[in-house]
Amino acid sequence: MLNLKRRQFLAGASAAALLPKPALSLEMTEVLEAKSGAVSLVSSDYPDTQIWGYNGGVPGPEIRIPQGEWLQRRLLNSLAEPTTIHWHGIRINNAMDGVPRVTQDAVQPGDEFTYNFEVPDAGTYWYHSHFNTTEQISRGLYGALIVEEPNAPEVDHDITVVVDDWRLSQDAQIDPDFSQIHDWSHAGRLGNFLKATLTPTLTEVKQNQRLRLRFICVATDRVMTLAMLGMEGKVVALDGMPLDVPTPAELLTLGPAQRADVIVDVTAAQGEQAIIGFIGREDNIALASFDISGQASLARRPEIAPLPANPIQRLTSLSGAQIAPLNMEGGAMGGLQSGTYKGKQMTTEELVQNGQIWTLNGVAGLPETPLAEVALGETLRIPIINNTAFAHAMHMHGAHFQEVLPDGSFGPLRDTILIERQETREIAFTASNPGDWVFHCHMLSHQAAGMITWIKVTS
Ligand SMILES: [Cu+2]
């Protein structure tokens, strides 16, 4: 008989951990089906709006997953055109990044593709189509992706606020003209109906309750200025990444694709309202309002603390960095004379005939050679010169960057930077994720009309 001591045996439940894990079966994988649907977008006084959405709704299902876990979703394409999903802001395995012709073939109608990747950073992210993007996102192909901290701050309500800008007809249908050169050459496809979708729905709060509001600007082109009335608090994260020092949440400016996590305490009293408002040039619009139903406590809660940091490398110095300037040109009032498109030198007229009106370093559309090729561990600096009459929201795939501020310090980690007209701003990051990563304007009309390039990170 073997002489084994008790402690060499595992109890039943722990012993099961030694069994081989079953291969993940596709049948068990949750599905995101890109399909058409009808939703009550405006109000019950209007007809339902025909949309394209994941599982037929808009926004698509909110995905919540603990930090460090693997996310698996099976995309089924029930549209009449190809599609893909990009997981915006996730430091992802390149093959899962969802960019057609760069990281995968577009998923054809009737076909499917399984995305499977780890989510290393907690925060507020989103997923959306990356094919025929202006139209597919305008029609509703997006959803929130929330990666939860193991030790999330205590709040009474954790609410995702997805803000979109729809261009609708009188009968609440989406304007089907997605390639108006006037839009493309100006500020993009701006809508006429703003809508915030809150998940979960919230209509009533109490004074001194604490809310975490996860704002996601999914508008194709509109920059949103938002205000919180009857609430006071701090911005604790931008583009998913926690701020070392939270900043007062007053006016919040979000370019297309940008996010902000805000923690606020309700200061409005019974009989008043707390409001999330859009600050417009002419009108301010209440996107959401909460009735106050009493008081949660007599006093405000303790000071709002920073969120736990993510395991992401940050800049320490710029010494030895490669510099790849990015010059933006074109658009209305831009004086663009010529540019290269698909390897051919073209006049502005010829570019416009090809639906192109913006250039990055003289090239419209995805160039054959990358803006820069960097090795793992190498730091890349990109001074971005906006030589145009419009703002642009530049989005880097697969990495968060930091802005190099005029005093030489580094700004917060972001994946999208809003650059005003005629402004020059510099971003930098240390390459840590190998692959071919696109870097493009997230004003999707601008992207479609030329503003896209890419960076190669070699392993
Ligand atoms: Cu742009």
Side-chain angles (χ1 to χ4, degrees):
M1 201 130 154
L2 292 170
N3 181 14
L4 296 172
K5 292 191 178 109
R6 172 72 187 90
R7 67 170 186 274
Q8 286 172 296
F9 290 88
L10 294 166
S14 335
L18 301 178
L19 297 175
K21 285 194 178 131
L24 273 171
S25 120
L26 274 186
E27 278 68 37
M28 288 170 58
T29 305
E30 282 185 58
V31 164
L32 289 173
E33 184 183 7
K35 60 193 278 198
S36 54
V39 299
S40 175
L41 193 66
V42 181
S43 76
S44 53
D45 297 336
Y46 286 82
D48 280 0
T49 304
Q50 302 295 316
I51 56 102
W52 296 351
Y54 295 110
N55 300 354
V58 67
E62 177 171 300
I63 299 173
R64 278 190 171 255
I65 182 170
Q67 180 176 13
E69 289 202 357
W70 285 75
L71 178 63
Q72 178 157 313
R73 285 292 183 281
R74 184 175 162 206
L75 165 65
L76 300 184
N77 184 4
S78 298
L79 304 171
E81 61 182 51
T83 194
T84 59
I85 297 180
H86 170 55
W87 309 89
H88 190 115
I90 302 293
R91 289 190 293 134
I92 202 169
N93 168 5
N94 191 244
M96 297 291 127
D97 195 41
V99 181
R101 295 186 298 135
V102 178
T103 68
Q104 70 169 99
D105 291 332
V107 182
Q108 297 301 313
D111 279 358
E112 61 178 73
F113 185 90
T114 298
Y115 293 94
N116 187 16
F117 55 90
E118 196 179 3
V119 288
D121 304 309
T124 301
Y125 303 94
W126 62 304
Y127 62 97
H128 62 76
S129 155
H130 217 288
F131 184 92
N132 186 19
T133 324
T134 315
E135 175 166 0
Q136 292 196 1
I137 292 186
S138 290
R139 290 191 184 275
L141 284 164
Y142 55 75
L145 168 53
I146 308 300
V147 182
E148 296 171 328
E149 300 93 1
N151 300 303
E154 208 184 301
V155 294
D156 296 297
H157 298 283
D158 181 346
I159 307 287
T160 308
V161 185
V162 173
V163 191
D164 201 357
D165 173 39
W166 299 83
R167 186 183 284 186
L168 302 178
S169 61
Q170 278 297 322
D171 59 349
Q173 300 310 307
I174 297 168
D175 179 344
D177 188 352
F178 292 94
S179 47
Q180 291 184 19
I181 197 74
H182 183 274
D183 290 344
W184 288 21
S185 62
H186 290 72
R189 179 185 162 99
L190 300 180
N192 51 14
F193 176 67
L194 291 168
K195 175 152 178 152
T197 305
L198 275 57
T199 307
T201 320
L202 182 70
T203 54
E204 225 177 60
V205 292
K206 290 182 175 18
Q207 189 181 32
N208 292 333
Q209 271 190 334
R210 181 161 281 186
L211 319 181
R212 178 174 185 168
L213 301 172
R214 301 168 179 270
F215 290 97
I216 309 176
C217 176
V218 301
T220 44
D221 295 279
R222 188 185 289 279
V223 178
M224 304 272 188
T225 303
L226 304 172
M228 282 149 283
L229 310 174
M231 297 175 264
E232 255 179 52
K234 299 214 163 136
V235 178
V236 292
L238 291 172
D239 294 351
M241 295 295 169
L243 299 179
D244 294 338
V245 181
T247 56
E250 285 155 3
L251 284 186
L252 206 58
T253 299
L254 294 180
Q258 290 187 318
R259 288 92 62 213
D261 283 44
V262 174
I263 294 182
V264 288
D265 294 329
V266 177
T267 52
Q270 176 103 29
E272 299 177 337
Q273 275 195 324
I275 290 172
I276 298 172
F278 169 86
I279 307 300
R281 256 189 223 165
E282 283 142 30
D283 298 311
N284 300 331
I285 299 165
L287 296 172
S289 53
F290 312 115
D291 292 330
I292 312 296
S293 58
Q295 214 176 25
S297 58
L298 286 174
R300 296 258 310 254
R301 297 173 63 153
E303 187 66 12
I304 294 159
L307 297 174
N310 278 323
I312 181 171
Q313 190 179 2
R314 292 203 263 183
L315 289 170
T316 49
S317 95
L318 295 175
S319 73
Q322 183 184 156
I323 304 181
L326 186 76
N327 190 24
M328 302 170 151
E329 289 182 303
M333 301 167 281
L336 186 69
Q337 298 299 315
S338 64
T340 302
Y341 181 58
K342 292 190 171 166
K344 273 180 65 181
Q345 182 73 18
M346 294 185 181
T347 63
T348 306
E349 271 172 25
E350 289 167 328
L351 286 172
V352 169
Q353 282 161 14
N354 284 279
Q356 302 295 297
I357 193 132
W358 304 93
T359 59
L360 297 175
N361 291 353
V363 180
L366 195 68
E368 268 181 28
T369 52
L371 170 69
E373 185 172 325
V374 286
L376 281 181
E378 191 179 356
T379 297
L380 178 64
R381 300 172 63 170
I382 311 175
I384 306 172
I385 305 115
N386 183 358
N387 211 350
T388 81
F390 294 89
H392 302 287
M394 290 299 290
H395 170 48
M396 178 74 72
H397 284 222
H400 276 63
F401 50 76
Q402 288 172 273
E403 184 170 359
V404 181
L405 297 167
D407 67 359
S409 65
F410 304 122
L413 289 157
R414 301 217 64 152
D415 62 45
T416 306
I417 182 172
L418 184 62
I419 302 163
E420 297 297 335
R421 60 198 300 247
Q422 297 298 333
E423 205 177 38
T424 295
R425 308 263 292 273
E426 180 175 333
I427 61 168
F429 68 101
T430 301
S432 64
N433 197 1
D436 295 344
W437 302 104
V438 289
F439 178 42
H440 63 85
C441 185
H442 222 288
M443 283 152 177
L444 298 169
S445 305
H446 295 171
Q447 181 204 318
M451 300 191 94
I452 181 165
T453 185
W454 60 291
I455 283 156
K456 187 182 232 359
V457 179
T458 56
S459 50

